[in-house]
Amino acid sequence: MTDWLIELMEILGAPGAGLAIALENIFPPLPSEVILPLAGFTSAKGEMNLPGVLAWTTAGSVAGALALYWVGALLGRERTLALAARIPLLKVSDITRTEAWFLKHGRKTVFFGRMIPIFRSLISVPAGVERMPLGVFTLLTTAGSLVWNTVFVLAGYVLAENWSVVETYVGMGTNAVIGLVLLAVVVFVGTRLAERHKGRHALRG
């Protein structure tokens, strides 16, 4: 995992770290908890400038988020609703409720969502679907990404050779988030199946 990152940073320097983070936003399996501490460690060795790393990784975060924002914008509300209507167990009302929630809490969600594994990438799509003002989205994404990136780059900078410790602890948090998402999916599917069974029973009665 780290070999290509090291090579990328050796060739491009801080812009290479920014490129890696941009790709991480679009392809979440590329973990920022590896990229950022490694960039911090590389800075500690004097091979990259620390302020430059923070600037480039934040720019990469914003670039990746904007790409997904435009995916959501191009998809649009009507297509989202049409897709929802075709998905088993999913109701259009689920989407409209989510839409109402996002319109109410969207700004906080975009800012704090930049600091939550997995959701860091996903949150950009509904922002695009709802056409959150681009300037507001960019500002909130920049602020949230700067906080997240600074914490992990500085962790790698301070820990130096032990930078990989960050990956271990954050990985535990990521697994917890995945577990909660899976639990929510199971509860959602179970509830919908129960509703469908109850509806059929009522019709037979």
Side-chain angles (χ1 to χ4, degrees):
M1 169 63 78
T2 59
D3 290 343
W4 72 273
L5 288 172
I6 294 171
E7 185 175 352
L8 186 64
M9 292 179 197
E10 286 178 348
I11 296 172
L12 299 178
L19 176 60
I21 286 297
L23 293 173
E24 180 266 340
N25 276 266
I26 300 172
F27 305 105
L30 295 172
S32 61
E33 59 265 29
V34 173
I35 299 170
L36 294 171
L38 178 57
F41 168 55
T42 306
S43 298
K45 293 195 299 180
E47 297 178 11
M48 291 195 298
N49 177 269
L50 183 59
V53 168
L54 293 174
W56 277 103
T57 53
T58 299
S61 295
V62 174
L66 285 173
L68 293 176
Y69 173 94
W70 285 112
V71 167
L74 291 173
L75 183 63
R77 183 174 185 272
E78 296 304 319
R79 289 181 183 177
T80 302
L81 292 175
L83 287 172
R86 297 178 182 179
I87 298 175
L89 304 180
L90 188 63
K91 298 178 181 179
V92 173
S93 59
D94 294 326
I95 303 300
T96 55
R97 280 198 299 269
T98 301
E99 178 184 41
W101 186 91
F102 189 85
L103 289 172
K104 184 177 181 180
H105 303 286
R107 295 191 176 194
K108 291 182 288 187
T109 304
V110 168
F111 175 75
F112 290 108
R114 303 305 308 170
M115 307 172 208
I116 302 175
I118 301 175
F119 290 98
R120 299 180 66 247
S121 298
L122 299 179
I123 195 59
S124 300
V125 177
V129 170
E130 296 302 327
R131 288 298 182 106
M132 173 181 281
L134 188 58
V136 174
F137 175 79
T138 303
L139 180 62
L140 292 171
T141 298
T142 301
S145 298
L146 181 59
V147 173
W148 174 269
N149 293 353
T150 299
V151 168
F152 285 93
V153 169
L154 289 181
Y157 188 90
V158 172
L159 290 170
E161 296 286 349
N162 296 315
W163 67 269
S164 59
V165 172
V166 178
E167 178 188 0
T168 301
Y169 286 102
V170 177
M172 293 169 60
T174 301
N175 290 336
V177 171
I178 293 173
L180 289 173
V181 171
L182 291 176
L183 178 61
V185 170
V186 170
V187 171
F188 174 81
V189 172
T191 301
R192 282 298 152 82
L193 289 175
E195 289 176 354
R196 179 175 293 184
H197 178 74
K198 184 177 180 181
R200 289 174 179 175
H201 184 73
L203 288 174
R204 290 174 182 174

